[in-house]
Amino acid sequence: MATFKAIRIDKTGNGTTAALTQFDEAELMDGDVTVRVEWSTLNYKDGLALTGKAPVVRRFPMIAGVDFAGTVERSSHPSWKAGDKVICNGWGMGETHLGAYAEKARVKGDWLVALPEGVTARDAMAIGTAGYTAMLAVLALERHGVMPKDGPVIVTGAAGGVGSVATAVLSKLGYHVIASTGRLSEAGYLKDLGAAEVIDRNELTGPVKPLAKERWAGGIDSVGSTTLANLLSMTKYRGAIAACGLAGGMDLPSSVAPFILRGVCLLGIDSVMCPIELRNTAWLRLATDLDRSKLTEITHEIGLDDVIGSGASILAGRVRGRIVVKIL
């Protein structure tokens, strides 16, 4: 069996180590589709896995990386054949199943989504799990009935991966987007993506009131903790916040007041085990509702050699937008 380059995480007495090494194809896990991986990306969860800052990895050795785009090399799955262009996000890749920072991956065919027409593999990973999660959040707000005519929508962590794509998509759909960021130096970048207003995240980190002045009809939050609690307290009657991240913490120091007095809804967004039908919808919507010219502003590219060093940077909040990883 051939070997290929991969970023391997191993358990040690003091935690974990990550290294770019050669991996034997015979060690790939069970799956009915083998993919030649061409592009991947760097997400917050990848940073946690690469640095060992959180127990993301639950199997060792592990190949890191939670999403990829590439070409099917071999398949015994009825939906896929050699040469098909595919995307894979989540399903435990990089956590319980060998992941995407490798020149080859073997997965279940039921996990795969066809690369939408007109979208390149690089574009798909410029969007990546962060952008796909952002679109799941947009879809949730739409299902709840939050429409542009209802008033502004807030996006937290707006200069990050989820926030950048959410800002671009919501603005293209006609929403008045308020972008919250801890990096006001990125205000120009956020306005270029379509933000109508940019606010300092400190406006959302103070003591949480049970109910505060109504400021937005809905929002997308990737921060959690006090920020999310404040968002809920400031949401308009019968509005909704879609929660998809925990960069600020897993706690939620809120009260029931927004829910029982204003009918506010908290919409949970799970990208990892999301049903395939909704995944397909999200990717098709990304193909039409994301101005891909914005990806140039959002994205910068690294090679597989640079991934480990970039893991700490994304955790420290030093990464703007999206990082795409060229594998082949």
Side-chain angles (χ1 to χ4, degrees):
M1 285 283 193
T3 62
F4 54 87
K5 287 196 297 184
I7 293 180
R8 172 176 168 146
I9 298 178
D10 286 287
K11 193 170 184 61
T12 67
N14 299 321
T16 62
T17 60
L20 180 59
T21 185
Q22 290 291 316
F23 202 90
D24 196 316
E25 188 173 348
E27 294 185 64
L28 287 174
M29 296 170 69
D30 289 342
D32 46 14
V33 181
T34 301
V35 177
R36 186 171 69 253
V37 180
E38 295 159 7
W39 294 91
S40 187
T41 183
L42 184 70
N43 300 288
Y44 191 84
K45 184 182 285 187
D46 296 315
L48 292 173
L50 291 164
T51 61
K53 295 289 187 184
V56 170
V57 178
R58 298 192 293 277
R59 174 203 186 276
F60 297 94
M62 174 55 65
I63 296 176
V66 303
D67 52 359
F68 67 73
T71 302
V72 173
E73 196 171 75
R74 293 189 301 278
S75 172
S76 59
H77 190 281
S79 297
W80 308 106
K81 65 184 184 305
D84 286 342
K85 300 290 187 180
V86 293
I87 302 167
C88 194
N89 304 86
W91 301 114
M93 281 201 307
E95 301 175 71
T96 57
H97 191 93
L98 295 176
Y101 293 151
E103 293 174 329
K104 287 192 181 183
R106 185 176 296 137
V107 297
K108 295 180 180 179
D110 290 342
W111 294 356
L112 297 171
V113 173
L115 187 70
E117 187 174 350
V119 178
T120 68
R122 188 188 189 281
D123 283 351
M125 288 298 99
I127 297 166
T129 288
Y132 146 72
T133 302
M135 181 52 82
L136 291 177
V138 171
L139 292 172
L141 291 177
E142 290 179 344
R143 286 196 303 273
H144 184 75
V146 177
M147 305 304 291
K149 65 180 176 57
D150 297 324
V153 291
I154 180 86
V155 175
T156 64
V162 172
S164 292
V165 177
T167 298
V169 169
L170 288 167
S171 64
K172 185 177 180 185
L173 292 173
Y175 291 87
H176 179 103
V177 179
I178 302 172
S180 166
T181 181
R183 294 176 276 171
L184 289 178
S185 60
E186 302 288 10
Y189 162 77
L190 292 167
K191 289 188 174 181
D192 286 345
L193 293 182
E197 302 176 53
V198 179
I199 65 172
D200 193 314
R201 70 181 176 196
N202 289 332
E203 292 188 31
L204 304 172
T205 57
V208 181
K209 298 178 180 178
L211 289 175
K213 181 181 177 181
E214 296 175 78
R215 296 180 63 179
W216 32 73
I220 296 176
D221 175 62
S222 59
V223 178
S225 191
T226 302
T227 294
L228 177 54
N230 273 309
L231 290 191
L232 292 166
S233 76
M234 298 174 186
T235 300
K236 293 183 177 183
Y237 182 73
R238 299 194 67 79
I241 301 295
C244 59
L246 45 68
M250 291 188 68
D251 61 319
L252 183 58
S254 184
S255 74
V256 298
F259 309 118
I260 66 174
L261 297 179
R262 288 186 183 158
V264 169
C265 284
L266 177 58
L267 310 173
I269 306 300
D270 162 52
S271 65
V272 174
M273 304 303 290
C274 179
I276 199 70
E277 296 81 8
L278 187 52
R279 288 172 183 265
N280 282 319
T281 298
W283 278 104
L284 289 173
R285 284 286 300 272
L286 284 161
T288 59
D289 294 342
L290 175 62
D291 181 350
R292 288 199 296 284
S293 68
K294 302 285 189 189
L295 290 178
T296 302
E297 301 171 49
I298 292 173
T299 308
H300 72 273
E301 181 182 317
I302 63 174
L304 201 52
D305 294 356
D306 302 313
V307 167
I308 294 172
S310 298
S313 295
I314 199 168
L315 297 189
R318 296 195 298 269
V319 171
R320 181 177 87 173
R322 305 284 296 121
I323 295 177
V324 289
V325 181
K326 184 173 176 58
I327 307 293
L328 288 176

